[in-house]
Amino acid sequence: MNGLVTGETSIRDAAEVEDFARRCFGGGPGDRLGIELEFLVFDLGSPARQVPLDRVAAALPPLPGGSRVTFEPGGQLELSGPAGPLPEAVARVAADVDAARGALREAGLALAGAGLDPVRPARRQLRLPRYDAMAAFFGSPYGPLMMCSTASVQVNVDLGERPEARWERAHLLGPVLTAAFANSPLLEGGPCGWMSGRQVVWERLDPTRTAPVPLRGDPVAAWRDYLLDARVMLVREEDGDGERCRPVGDGSSLRDWLAASRAAPARPASVVPPRPAPGSPGPSYGSPPRPTASAASPASSPAPSYAGRGLPARPPTLADLAYHATTVFPPVRPRGWLEIRYLDAQHPAWWPVCAAVTHALVTDDQAADAALAAAEPYAGSWARAARHGLADPGLRAAADACFRAALAALPRLGAPPALVRRTEAFADRYVTPGRSPAEDLLDLFGVTAPAGRAAEPERSLAAWLAGEEGWTYAA
């Protein structure tokens, strides 16, 4: 899946933003799957302690499936697999997860799948210009939590011959799939009040950049307006020491920047040339998870002295626009393919199910028709899904219909019998009884009521890690 390439030409009006938005939907036909997995990493001997990123990197072996290895600001490990047909994409990432998990275990470390760190407070390890600016822009408490304590399964799909259909499906299915794979109920050893606390953290960051893109007739126009109305997070500048990312602290949107550039003559400014994109495929949520001060304060550096400055006195460039698009995080984002971003990280046994079901329901027309008939009544019910998961009877019934449709489609998409059986096992364990994966964590940590807390969170965490052995693809 190819990234969008832009230059430093100034843009003057919304028509040029629309041209960029149109290219985001221009990836061409195809049915490939791309999988990006984020994992929390724990020390098996001291699971409540942070694991230095360098220790994780040193323990990782060469990965046989070709996944790209990166780290999130808090040290979360991310594996981004090559895009390909469903069976190949899952097999290659599964081989890499197995290799990484085995090597890390020999080093006394464990990969764990949960959407929100259940015990440790947020602490940032990566000190890069982008992350410094992001931390200053978002502030506490949700900036540190998002950057340092969340993990996800991201499913990337080709846009196909009818991009608008896949765009609509990915959105309409969102609340049901969020509920089915909700797996982030804990924060600092106790319940956060949501089955998907991660989803709430993301939404609470900045609704101009994390709310869903409105569904209306023309997805290009909707994406154009979303980009225009999102606040500008940062501008990249060059100084004597190289690249600097300066946060924009006055609330200005890209639309404001365009209007200001038309109203005043531009002054020259140094900008950083664009980087190629990687080659892989607000509703109100009510009361969000409430971290204690220890979860919020250690993760971000004090805001730089320039944190309150506004937009530069020059027109935005195509490079600025392309970078701006990487700083907005709606649940579904077009980039020449669709990034489906609303899924919590999963136990190593279950992430293939998450990827396969999502891919099947978005790309297979027959499965999509059956799934949407059940899911469409819950379109926009993101808060309901994040709060209750599959304990909500309506969402459970919709998820049951979606899984039935996906199971019928998987053989048509070339899924091997092992993956079909694994999907059936997930449905039997969670969907049929109306139980999201989050409830496993609540049970393991001894949480029996919303106000409950694990009596011994470190022992509970050790027991959880002992059960985090994953699934071998050939099983």
mmCIF file of all heavy atoms in Angstrom, residues 294-312:
data_model
loop_
_atom_site.group_PDB
_atom_site.id
_atom_site.type_symbol
_atom_site.label_atom_id
_atom_site.label_comp_id
_atom_site.label_asym_id
_atom_site.label_seq_id
_atom_site.Cartn_x
_atom_site.Cartn_y
_atom_site.Cartn_z
ATOM 1 N N SER A 294 -0.792 10.378 39.395
ATOM 2 C CA SER A 294 0.421 9.646 39.029
ATOM 3 C C SER A 294 0.363 9.154 37.606
ATOM 4 O O SER A 294 1.382 8.958 36.966
ATOM 5 C CB SER A 294 0.623 8.453 39.972
ATOM 6 O OG SER A 294 -0.433 7.528 39.842
ATOM 7 N N ALA A 295 -0.845 8.922 37.085
ATOM 8 C CA ALA A 295 -0.949 8.470 35.695
ATOM 9 C C ALA A 295 -0.753 9.612 34.721
ATOM 10 O O ALA A 295 -0.365 9.403 33.591
ATOM 11 C CB ALA A 295 -2.318 7.828 35.456
ATOM 12 N N ALA A 296 -1.044 10.819 35.164
ATOM 13 C CA ALA A 296 -1.014 11.922 34.228
ATOM 14 C C ALA A 296 0.326 12.638 34.200
ATOM 15 O O ALA A 296 0.824 12.992 33.157
ATOM 16 C CB ALA A 296 -2.110 12.923 34.596
ATOM 17 N N SER A 297 0.909 12.846 35.366
ATOM 18 C CA SER A 297 2.017 13.776 35.413
ATOM 19 C C SER A 297 3.340 13.280 34.884
ATOM 20 O O SER A 297 4.062 14.051 34.274
ATOM 21 C CB SER A 297 2.200 14.265 36.854
ATOM 22 O OG SER A 297 2.393 13.182 37.731
ATOM 23 N N PRO A 298 3.748 11.998 35.047
ATOM 24 C CA PRO A 298 5.107 11.652 34.644
ATOM 25 C C PRO A 298 5.295 11.551 33.148
ATOM 26 O O PRO A 298 6.414 11.494 32.678
ATOM 27 C CB PRO A 298 5.329 10.274 35.295
ATOM 28 C CG PRO A 298 4.185 10.058 36.205
ATOM 29 C CD PRO A 298 3.080 10.886 35.672
ATOM 30 N N ALA A 299 4.202 11.492 32.363
ATOM 31 C CA ALA A 299 4.345 11.115 30.966
ATOM 32 C C ALA A 299 4.797 12.240 30.072
ATOM 33 O O ALA A 299 5.366 12.012 29.044
ATOM 34 C CB ALA A 299 3.020 10.568 30.458
ATOM 35 N N SER A 300 4.493 13.473 30.402
ATOM 36 C CA SER A 300 4.854 14.542 29.496
ATOM 37 C C SER A 300 5.845 15.485 30.119
ATOM 38 O O SER A 300 5.788 15.765 31.282
ATOM 39 C CB SER A 300 3.667 15.371 29.094
ATOM 40 O OG SER A 300 2.492 14.912 29.431
ATOM 41 N N SER A 301 6.734 15.984 29.266
ATOM 42 C CA SER A 301 7.642 17.023 29.702
ATOM 43 C C SER A 301 6.858 18.311 29.873
ATOM 44 O O SER A 301 5.801 18.483 29.305
ATOM 45 C CB SER A 301 8.716 17.243 28.641
ATOM 46 O OG SER A 301 9.357 16.047 28.342
ATOM 47 N N PRO A 302 7.386 19.273 30.651
ATOM 48 C CA PRO A 302 6.735 20.576 30.695
ATOM 49 C C PRO A 302 6.621 21.153 29.290
ATOM 50 O O PRO A 302 7.483 20.942 28.439
ATOM 51 C CB PRO A 302 7.689 21.413 31.568
ATOM 52 C CG PRO A 302 8.456 20.407 32.366
ATOM 53 C CD PRO A 302 8.572 19.195 31.501
ATOM 54 N N ALA A 303 5.536 21.868 29.040
ATOM 55 C CA ALA A 303 5.332 22.420 27.703
ATOM 56 C C ALA A 303 6.461 23.369 27.340
ATOM 57 O O ALA A 303 6.886 24.179 28.159
ATOM 58 C CB ALA A 303 3.994 23.169 27.661
ATOM 59 N N PRO A 304 6.995 23.256 26.118
ATOM 60 C CA PRO A 304 8.039 24.193 25.704
ATOM 61 C C PRO A 304 7.533 25.629 25.758
ATOM 62 O O PRO A 304 6.334 25.893 25.718
ATOM 63 C CB PRO A 304 8.338 23.757 24.265
ATOM 64 C CG PRO A 304 7.832 22.360 24.167
ATOM 65 C CD PRO A 304 6.673 22.269 25.100
ATOM 66 N N SER A 305 8.449 26.569 25.782
ATOM 67 C CA SER A 305 8.076 27.961 25.921
ATOM 68 C C SER A 305 7.274 28.474 24.732
ATOM 69 O O SER A 305 6.566 29.459 24.839
ATOM 70 C CB SER A 305 9.342 28.820 26.087
ATOM 71 O OG SER A 305 10.176 28.681 24.953
ATOM 72 N N TYR A 306 7.373 27.798 23.600
ATOM 73 C CA TYR A 306 6.637 28.236 22.418
ATOM 74 C C TYR A 306 5.282 27.567 22.298
ATOM 75 O O TYR A 306 4.618 27.663 21.267
ATOM 76 C CB TYR A 306 7.460 27.970 21.151
ATOM 77 C CG TYR A 306 8.008 26.576 21.039
ATOM 78 C CD1 TYR A 306 7.203 25.501 20.733
ATOM 79 C CD2 TYR A 306 9.364 26.337 21.251
ATOM 80 C CE1 TYR A 306 7.717 24.226 20.651
ATOM 81 C CE2 TYR A 306 9.883 25.056 21.165
ATOM 82 C CZ TYR A 306 9.051 24.010 20.861
ATOM 83 O OH TYR A 306 9.552 22.742 20.770
ATOM 84 N N ALA A 307 4.824 26.856 23.341
ATOM 85 C CA ALA A 307 3.607 26.058 23.213
ATOM 86 C C ALA A 307 2.381 26.902 22.903
ATOM 87 O O ALA A 307 1.432 26.413 22.318
ATOM 88 C CB ALA A 307 3.366 25.256 24.496
ATOM 89 N N GLY A 308 2.366 28.175 23.267
ATOM 90 C CA GLY A 308 1.191 28.975 23.044
ATOM 91 C C GLY A 308 1.201 29.745 21.736
ATOM 92 O O GLY A 308 0.279 30.492 21.452
ATOM 93 N N ARG A 309 2.222 29.618 20.951
ATOM 94 C CA ARG A 309 2.289 30.375 19.714
ATOM 95 C C ARG A 309 1.297 29.849 18.686
ATOM 96 O O ARG A 309 0.902 28.698 18.715
ATOM 97 C CB ARG A 309 3.702 30.318 19.140
ATOM 98 C CG ARG A 309 4.688 31.211 19.890
ATOM 99 C CD ARG A 309 6.087 31.019 19.379
ATOM 100 N NE ARG A 309 6.162 31.122 17.924
ATOM 101 C CZ ARG A 309 7.265 30.824 17.237
ATOM 102 N NH1 ARG A 309 8.342 30.391 17.864
ATOM 103 N NH2 ARG A 309 7.290 30.938 15.920
ATOM 104 N N GLY A 310 0.931 30.739 17.759
ATOM 105 C CA GLY A 310 -0.065 30.364 16.779
ATOM 106 C C GLY A 310 0.541 29.949 15.459
ATOM 107 O O GLY A 310 1.668 29.456 15.378
ATOM 108 N N LEU A 311 -0.223 30.161 14.413
ATOM 109 C CA LEU A 311 0.168 29.723 13.081
ATOM 110 C C LEU A 311 1.314 30.567 12.542
ATOM 111 O O LEU A 311 1.452 31.743 12.890
ATOM 112 C CB LEU A 311 -1.036 29.850 12.150
ATOM 113 C CG LEU A 311 -2.244 28.978 12.497
ATOM 114 C CD1 LEU A 311 -3.448 29.442 11.696
ATOM 115 C CD2 LEU A 311 -1.942 27.520 12.224
ATOM 116 N N PRO A 312 2.113 29.986 11.663
ATOM 117 C CA PRO A 312 3.171 30.781 11.027
ATOM 118 C C PRO A 312 2.575 31.784 10.046
ATOM 119 O O PRO A 312 1.481 31.591 9.513
ATOM 120 C CB PRO A 312 4.022 29.728 10.310
ATOM 121 C CG PRO A 312 3.101 28.585 10.079
ATOM 122 C CD PRO A 312 2.143 28.579 11.227
#
